[in-house]
Amino acid sequence: MQLLQPCMILLTGFVSSLIGVNYSLLPVQAEVIFASGEGNGSFGLLSDFDGKYFSGQQQIGHEFTLKELVEIDQIHWSGQYFPDGKPSDAKFSLRIFKIVEGTPEITPKIDVNLTEVRQTQTNIERFSHPVFNYVGLVIPFRLEAGRYLLSIVNNTQGNSDDWLWMTTDPKTQLLGGDLKIFFRDQDGMAWKSGLTGKMSFTILGKPASNSN
């Protein structure tokens, strides 16, 4: 079965590190719908509803594209805690925004319903603190072909650290090289672009034509 583009990227990198360890979590028919590359600790961007150490970029999102109707059941990503590297309970909000004429809509199209988030420490470090991989199990939902923004925001309220979403290796190239990072301070505000890099995430599921 042919996978959607650009979903053939780094299946031995980010996908092997996340899925290999957590293979038992995968539905039998799960496929990589979209992969942006491995979060290798080269850089991270604040994406935290309770961020205290940075300003102007409280919410981060990254573009992705779909070529056909799909059913999504898992989303994987990586991140780090700053400045002390102390992990806290994962309290993530994952939202998908429709992109119209190059700009993400202000209101999300889908508020992803997470049933479980598994946080696993890796052997990768940045500033002598570990990078964590996350496996997000979701109530399956369908998404039609188009251009979207995936926003991943943690909430570290009550903890001393902020959460940073890890970017991929700068040498990693997406097949759609014009995909952008967007950011904003809070809900209700317009998304802005101008940051460089690619956020690390992998979307898994299957073409909706294969759904039972």
Side-chain angles (χ1 to χ4, degrees):
M1 179 179 302
Q2 184 178 1
L3 301 183
L4 301 176
Q5 295 295 334
C7 65
M8 295 297 293
I9 303 167
L10 285 178
L11 295 184
T12 59
F14 187 59
V15 177
S16 63
S17 61
L18 289 183
I19 299 177
V21 175
N22 301 282
Y23 186 79
S24 61
L25 298 178
L26 285 173
V28 175
Q29 300 299 323
E31 301 178 5
V32 176
I33 300 300
F34 184 96
S36 67
E38 180 181 3
N40 66 356
S42 60
F43 197 65
L45 294 174
L46 174 73
S47 195
D48 192 331
F49 289 121
D50 192 54
K52 296 182 287 289
Y53 296 99
F54 303 92
S55 62
Q57 301 165 17
Q58 299 294 102
Q59 300 181 27
I60 297 292
H62 198 281
E63 288 186 76
F64 68 97
T65 58
L66 297 177
K67 299 297 185 183
E68 62 178 300
L69 177 68
V70 299
E71 183 175 282
I72 295 169
D73 51 41
Q74 288 197 43
I75 300 174
H76 300 178
W77 65 96
S78 59
Q80 185 184 47
Y81 297 89
F82 177 89
D84 298 321
K86 297 178 180 179
S88 56
D89 292 338
K91 298 178 181 178
F92 286 96
S93 293
L94 275 62
R95 296 177 291 180
I96 294 175
F97 298 78
K98 180 71 174 176
I99 293 181
V100 179
E101 296 181 354
T103 302
E105 295 183 337
I106 293 175
T107 303
K109 176 180 178 66
I110 295 176
D111 198 333
V112 177
N113 195 334
L114 289 162
T115 60
E116 184 178 4
V117 175
R118 299 198 177 186
Q119 176 176 267
T120 303
Q121 182 173 324
T122 73
N123 59 3
I124 299 171
E125 290 189 348
R126 179 173 179 263
F127 299 137
S128 299
H129 298 318
V131 171
F132 293 85
N133 287 340
Y134 302 89
V135 172
L137 306 181
V138 310
I139 293 179
F141 63 93
R142 292 189 172 193
L143 199 59
E144 64 268 21
R147 199 176 191 94
Y148 299 96
L149 181 83
L150 172 65
S151 174
I152 300 177
V153 187
N154 203 355
N155 189 345
T156 59
Q157 185 175 9
N159 297 279
S160 60
D161 274 12
D162 287 346
W163 185 79
L164 308 180
W165 186 359
M166 289 289 103
T167 60
T168 70
D169 187 322
K171 295 180 182 179
T172 300
Q173 297 296 320
L174 289 175
L175 296 182
D178 59 335
L179 301 180
K180 298 177 181 178
I181 295 174
F182 286 87
F183 62 94
R184 65 181 184 180
D185 280 335
Q186 61 186 20
D187 287 354
M189 297 184 67
W191 291 94
K192 297 180 286 187
S193 62
L195 301 176
T196 59
K198 293 180 290 293
M199 308 315 300
S200 57
F201 65 98
T202 300
I203 299 173
L204 296 104
K206 55 192 172 183
S209 59
N210 298 333
S211 302
N212 296 323

